[in-house]
């Protein structure tokens, strides 16, 4: 995503907690490396793409006093991470006295669409001036921009989307495990499902490309999926909505992340649930 912004002519200040990754990016794409929050002093838009809202808060308010302390009033934090929407609203409240606005814009589409600049973007926030300021950035990074509503609604939408994806993976994996034990070929099962009403992104892409082949290479961490489903379940609780399926899916993915490790590819989750080879 940052490479696409560099290619589009944006002047970038680059920060990564992995110093070698930061150095490689600057060598390949240019930009000014940030060795402290003061490096962001002239920045009008700060884009965060981090594992969760806790990491975003640490970068903006914690790291050596926080990036926010270096920004001028009117600057915009564009959080494209998959963050907790309640935490996003709290962060915005903390930044408001300094005149720093927040727009949340998590993404969907995976590594391939990130590289191609064709992500789907879910944008929360009703400050039209702030949105106008970040729109040129969004248009480089995404093919479809959805205005989802007030601040935090983008992060809520991303969590709910990933809950649906995780639920579809869970049910597809269960169906394949049951079928294989009965004697069905998982490949034949997927052919049938994908021409029938049970099809989903998981049955059409994840299982044929990553599970049945044993490749397990979607590039999306199992721990991140578990975190996103957890956000969705927490949101249901805070809204007073009965969501038993969401809570069950959260438990399944939390168990998988605990057993296989945060960094495992999310397509591996089934390996913890049953001793059944789906290859």
């Amino acid at each position: 995503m940052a490479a696409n912004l560099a290619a589009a002519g944006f002047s970038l200040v680059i920060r990564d907690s992995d110093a070698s990754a930061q150095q490689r990016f600057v060598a390949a794409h240019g930009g000014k490396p940030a060795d402290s929050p003061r490096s962001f002093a002239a920045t009008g838009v700060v884009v965060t793409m981090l594992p969760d809202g806790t990491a975003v808060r640490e970068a903006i308010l914690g790291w050596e006093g926080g990036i926010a302390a270096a920004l001028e009033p009117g600057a915009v934090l564009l959080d494209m991470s998959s963050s907790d929407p309640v935490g996003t609203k709290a962060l915005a409240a903390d930044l408001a006295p300094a005149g720093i606005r927040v727009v949340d814009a998590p993404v969907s589409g995976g590594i391939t669409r990130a590289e191609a600049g064709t992500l789907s973007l879910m944008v929360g926030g009703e400050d039209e001036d702030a949105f106008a300021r970040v729109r040129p950035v969004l248009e480089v990074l995404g093919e479809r921009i959805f205005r989802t509503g007030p601040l935090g609604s983008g992060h809520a939408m991303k969590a709910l989307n990933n809950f649906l994806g995780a639920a579809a993976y869970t049910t597809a994996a269960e169906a394949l495990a049951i079928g294989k034990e009965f004697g069905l070929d998982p490949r034949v099962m997927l052919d049938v499902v994908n021409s029938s009403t049970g099809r989903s992104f998981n049955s059409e892409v994840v299982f044929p490309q990553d599970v049945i082949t044993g490749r397990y290479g979607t590039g999306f961490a199992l721990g991140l999926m578990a975190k996103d489903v957890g956000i969705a379940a927490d949101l249901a609780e805070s809204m007073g909505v009965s969501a038993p399926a969401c809570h069950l899916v959260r438990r399944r993915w939390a168990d998988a992340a605990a057993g296989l490790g945060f960094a495992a590819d999310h397509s591996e989750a089934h390996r913890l649930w049953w001793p059944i080879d789906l290859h």
Side-chain angles (χ1 to χ4, degrees):
M1 292 167 66
N4 286 335
L5 291 174
F10 284 85
S11 177
L12 302 182
V13 177
I14 300 296
R15 173 67 181 179
D16 195 293
S17 60
D18 182 341
S20 62
Q22 178 175 302
Q23 183 177 11
R24 288 194 303 272
F25 181 90
V26 172
H29 303 286
K32 176 185 175 182
D35 55 8
S36 77
R38 293 178 294 278
S39 300
F40 292 89
T43 302
V45 175
V46 175
V47 180
T48 47
M49 179 52 114
L50 297 168
D52 55 36
T54 300
V56 174
R57 173 172 282 272
E58 169 60 24
I60 300 303
L61 294 176
W63 171 46
E64 296 183 12
I67 292 172
L71 301 178
E72 296 292 330
V76 181
L77 167 62
L78 177 60
D79 183 17
M80 306 191 77
S81 318
S82 296
S83 300
D84 177 356
V86 176
T88 298
K89 295 173 74 172
L91 178 60
D94 290 338
L95 295 175
I100 299 170
R101 288 85 57 82
V102 178
V103 174
D104 56 307
V107 312
S108 182
I111 293 174
T112 300
R113 288 174 60 191
E115 292 174 342
T118 59
L119 292 164
S120 293
L121 310 179
M122 297 152 264
V123 184
E126 296 173 317
D127 183 331
E128 293 304 321
D129 179 69
F131 176 71
R133 192 158 190 180
V134 302
R135 185 166 189 162
V137 174
L138 298 174
E139 288 177 341
V140 169
L141 301 177
E143 183 176 52
R144 301 191 69 185
I145 299 174
F146 297 94
R147 299 292 301 275
T148 54
L151 183 68
S153 62
H155 285 148
M157 185 67 250
K158 174 60 185 291
L160 293 170
N161 176 72
N162 278 14
F163 155 56
L164 289 172
Y169 175 100
T170 304
T171 55
E174 287 187 10
L176 291 179
I178 295 166
K180 186 164 186 181
E181 285 296 283
F182 185 78
L184 288 164
D185 183 333
R187 290 173 176 79
V188 174
M189 292 183 69
L190 287 173
D191 288 342
V192 173
V193 167
N194 288 333
S195 64
S196 305
T197 56
R199 67 187 181 278
S200 66
F201 175 81
N202 281 278
S203 68
E204 291 178 334
V205 177
V206 175
F207 278 89
Q209 293 184 8
D210 294 283
V211 177
I212 298 300
T213 63
R215 186 177 76 102
Y216 299 123
T218 68
F220 188 63
L222 196 165
L224 292 178
M225 181 66 88
K227 179 261 299 181
D228 288 349
V229 178
I231 291 174
D234 289 342
L235 184 62
E237 290 180 354
S238 67
M239 294 297 101
V241 175
S242 176
C246 188
H247 291 291
L248 176 58
V249 173
R250 173 171 63 178
R251 288 196 298 273
R252 293 295 270 167
W253 284 83
D255 288 347
L260 298 175
F262 186 99
D265 195 85
H266 89 280
S267 61
E268 296 184 68
H270 75 92
R271 294 176 53 234
L272 184 91
W273 298 335
W274 314 282
I276 300 172
D277 186 357
L278 297 180
H279 297 176

